[in-house]
PDB file of all heavy atoms in Angstrom:
ATOM      1  N   ILE D   6      23.667 -13.347   5.925  1.00 98.00           N
ATOM      2  CA  ILE D   6      22.956 -13.769   4.715  1.00 98.00           C
ATOM      3  C   ILE D   6      23.123 -15.274   4.567  1.00 98.00           C
ATOM      4  O   ILE D   6      24.256 -15.760   4.434  1.00 98.00           O
ATOM      5  CB  ILE D   6      23.543 -13.049   3.475  1.00 98.00           C
ATOM      6  CG1 ILE D   6      23.400 -11.526   3.651  1.00 98.00           C
ATOM      7  CG2 ILE D   6      22.867 -13.528   2.193  1.00 98.00           C
ATOM      8  CD1 ILE D   6      24.158 -10.708   2.612  1.00 98.00           C
ATOM      9  N   ALA D   7      22.017 -16.023   4.617  1.00 98.00           N
ATOM     10  CA  ALA D   7      22.110 -17.482   4.492  1.00 98.00           C
ATOM     11  C   ALA D   7      21.692 -17.895   3.085  1.00 98.00           C
ATOM     12  O   ALA D   7      20.502 -17.946   2.767  1.00 98.00           O
ATOM     13  CB  ALA D   7      21.227 -18.156   5.543  1.00 98.00           C
ATOM     14  N   GLY D   8      22.685 -18.163   2.242  1.00 97.00           N
ATOM     15  CA  GLY D   8      22.403 -18.555   0.856  1.00 97.00           C
ATOM     16  C   GLY D   8      22.791 -17.447  -0.106  1.00 97.00           C
ATOM     17  O   GLY D   8      22.476 -16.288   0.123  1.00 97.00           O
ATOM     18  N   TYR D   9      23.477 -17.845  -1.186  1.00 96.00           N
ATOM     19  CA  TYR D   9      23.977 -16.812  -2.102  1.00 96.00           C
ATOM     20  C   TYR D   9      23.560 -17.116  -3.539  1.00 96.00           C
ATOM     21  O   TYR D   9      24.371 -17.181  -4.452  1.00 96.00           O
ATOM     22  CB  TYR D   9      25.506 -16.688  -1.965  1.00 96.00           C
ATOM     23  CG  TYR D   9      26.076 -15.435  -2.585  1.00 96.00           C
ATOM     24  CD1 TYR D   9      25.799 -14.189  -2.027  1.00 96.00           C
ATOM     25  CD2 TYR D   9      26.870 -15.495  -3.729  1.00 96.00           C
ATOM     26  CE1 TYR D   9      26.306 -13.029  -2.597  1.00 96.00           C
ATOM     27  CE2 TYR D   9      27.386 -14.336  -4.297  1.00 96.00           C
ATOM     28  CZ  TYR D   9      27.095 -13.111  -3.729  1.00 96.00           C
ATOM     29  OH  TYR D   9      27.601 -11.952  -4.294  1.00 96.00           O
ATOM     30  N   GLY D  10      22.269 -17.298  -3.743  1.00 95.00           N
ATOM     31  CA  GLY D  10      21.707 -17.344  -5.090  1.00 95.00           C
ATOM     32  C   GLY D  10      21.279 -15.939  -5.496  1.00 95.00           C
ATOM     33  O   GLY D  10      21.820 -14.950  -4.999  1.00 95.00           O
ATOM     34  N   ASN D  11      20.300 -15.847  -6.410  1.00 94.00           N
ATOM     35  CA  ASN D  11      19.834 -14.533  -6.858  1.00 94.00           C
ATOM     36  C   ASN D  11      19.377 -13.646  -5.706  1.00 94.00           C
ATOM     37  O   ASN D  11      19.647 -12.449  -5.683  1.00 94.00           O
ATOM     38  CB  ASN D  11      18.666 -14.688  -7.847  1.00 94.00           C
ATOM     39  CG  ASN D  11      19.150 -15.117  -9.222  1.00 94.00           C
ATOM     40  OD1 ASN D  11      20.277 -14.811  -9.610  1.00 94.00           O
ATOM     41  ND2 ASN D  11      18.293 -15.827  -9.949  1.00 94.00           N
ATOM     42  N   LEU D  12      18.687 -14.265  -4.744  1.00 96.00           N
ATOM     43  CA  LEU D  12      18.138 -13.485  -3.637  1.00 96.00           C
ATOM     44  C   LEU D  12      19.253 -12.981  -2.714  1.00 96.00           C
ATOM     45  O   LEU D  12      19.269 -11.813  -2.322  1.00 96.00           O
ATOM     46  CB  LEU D  12      17.124 -14.338  -2.859  1.00 96.00           C
ATOM     47  CG  LEU D  12      16.268 -13.627  -1.822  1.00 96.00           C
ATOM     48  CD1 LEU D  12      15.486 -12.470  -2.431  1.00 96.00           C
ATOM     49  CD2 LEU D  12      15.303 -14.616  -1.153  1.00 96.00           C
ATOM     50  N   GLY D  13      20.202 -13.854  -2.392  1.00 97.00           N
ATOM     51  CA  GLY D  13      21.334 -13.456  -1.554  1.00 97.00           C
ATOM     52  C   GLY D  13      22.158 -12.347  -2.206  1.00 97.00           C
ATOM     53  O   GLY D  13      22.580 -11.392  -1.548  1.00 97.00           O
ATOM     54  N   LYS D  14      22.371 -12.479  -3.520  1.00 97.00           N
ATOM     55  CA  LYS D  14      23.107 -11.433  -4.237  1.00 97.00           C
ATOM     56  C   LYS D  14      22.348 -10.114  -4.197  1.00 97.00           C
ATOM     57  O   LYS D  14      22.935  -9.039  -4.017  1.00 97.00           O
ATOM     58  CB  LYS D  14      23.325 -11.845  -5.704  1.00 97.00           C
ATOM     59  CG  LYS D  14      24.368 -12.934  -5.865  1.00 97.00           C
ATOM     60  CD  LYS D  14      24.481 -13.398  -7.308  1.00 97.00           C
ATOM     61  CE  LYS D  14      25.280 -14.705  -7.331  1.00 97.00           C
ATOM     62  NZ  LYS D  14      25.267 -15.345  -8.659  1.00 97.00           N
TER      63      LYS D  14
END
Side-chain angles (χ1 to χ4, degrees):
Chain D
I6 300 170
Y9 195 68
N11 284 331
L12 190 57
K14 287 175 194 171

